[in-house]
Amino acid sequence: MMTVPSFAHGDRLTRRDLEAITDERHRYELVDGTLLVSPSPRPLHQRVVARLLAALSPVCPADCEVLPAPVDVVLDEFTVMIPDVVVGRRETFTERALVGVPVLAVEVVSPSSRYIDRHLKPARLAAAGCPFYWVIEPNEPTLSCFRLEGTEYVLDAEVTGDEIAHLEVPYRLDLSPADLVSSY
């Protein structure tokens, strides 16, 4: 039986509270103790994730690993996020989660997640020190690659449609948003 425990209004939730949720039909995340609930992703969203995994995996160094959601990224006791794709150092993965700061977090934007993916998640990841954050808008399609400079993300590359991003960091890689959404 799937359950979502009830919590007292106004309480800040913790990582332990999140682990008590057994409903696997939705994605549950915590940001500063606030519960975020997302519906399951659509086929276009998952196609982008699959294409991105296929592109990142061959260039990922041996000390890192590329994984698709759902993988919890535990930034602190009150913030547990699930990027659509995460690259982390192997030593930061436990049996249950990536504990600490990822090398790269990628979000594929859905209409219901636009604000979270464009504002909330990058703010928390930047504060935690995640060096790279990418956002993919599948309907346009657009790829925006950010790198951490100081305490904020700056745009490193942005391409639309058939344009190709020639990336050097975090790994040498050429990516086209059109290829990520193509149903070929």
Side-chain angles (χ1 to χ4, degrees):
M1 177 169 203
M2 294 177 267
T3 62
V4 177
S6 60
F7 303 102
H9 180 72
D11 283 355
R12 231 167 86 152
L13 303 180
T14 68
R15 175 179 169 191
R16 300 266 179 253
D17 296 321
L18 190 65
E19 290 172 358
I21 299 172
T22 60
D23 175 6
E24 294 184 11
R25 295 173 299 161
H26 295 90
R27 183 182 298 183
Y28 293 90
E29 300 173 273
L30 280 181
V31 176
D32 297 326
T34 300
L35 186 66
L36 303 178
V37 182
S38 304
S40 61
R42 302 293 180 237
L44 176 60
H45 181 281
Q46 293 304 88
R47 180 180 305 133
V48 171
V49 168
R51 302 276 192 287
L52 191 57
L53 285 171
L56 282 171
S57 293
V59 298
C60 185
D63 68 330
C64 291
E65 187 167 6
V66 182
L67 294 174
V71 172
D72 288 352
V73 173
V74 180
L75 297 180
D76 60 44
E77 192 62 21
F78 300 102
T79 303
V80 180
M81 292 195 264
I82 303 174
D84 291 314
V85 175
V86 65
V87 178
R89 302 216 179 281
R90 289 189 186 274
E91 71 266 8
T92 61
F93 286 101
T94 67
E95 235 180 74
R96 183 155 178 86
L98 183 156
V99 179
V101 181
V103 173
L104 167 66
V106 183
E107 293 296 345
V108 179
V109 176
S110 300
S112 63
S113 70
R114 185 169 312 287
Y115 182 81
I116 292 166
D117 294 342
R118 285 279 186 189
H119 302 285
L120 190 61
K121 285 187 175 184
R124 289 302 290 124
L125 286 161
C130 178
F132 299 98
Y133 183 76
W134 296 355
V135 177
I136 300 167
E137 296 269 359
N139 292 323
E140 298 179 15
T142 302
L143 167 66
S144 305
C145 302
F146 299 91
R147 81 180 142 70
L148 191 61
E149 192 171 283
T151 59
E152 295 184 6
Y153 286 117
V154 294
L155 188 63
D156 236 9
E158 187 168 65
V159 292
T160 302
D162 290 326
E163 296 175 330
I164 297 173
H166 301 286
L167 305 170
E168 296 295 327
V169 289
Y171 315 113
R172 182 153 167 38
L173 179 66
D174 295 334
L175 275 178
S176 164
D179 289 343
L180 295 175
V181 301
S182 173
S183 61
Y184 48 131

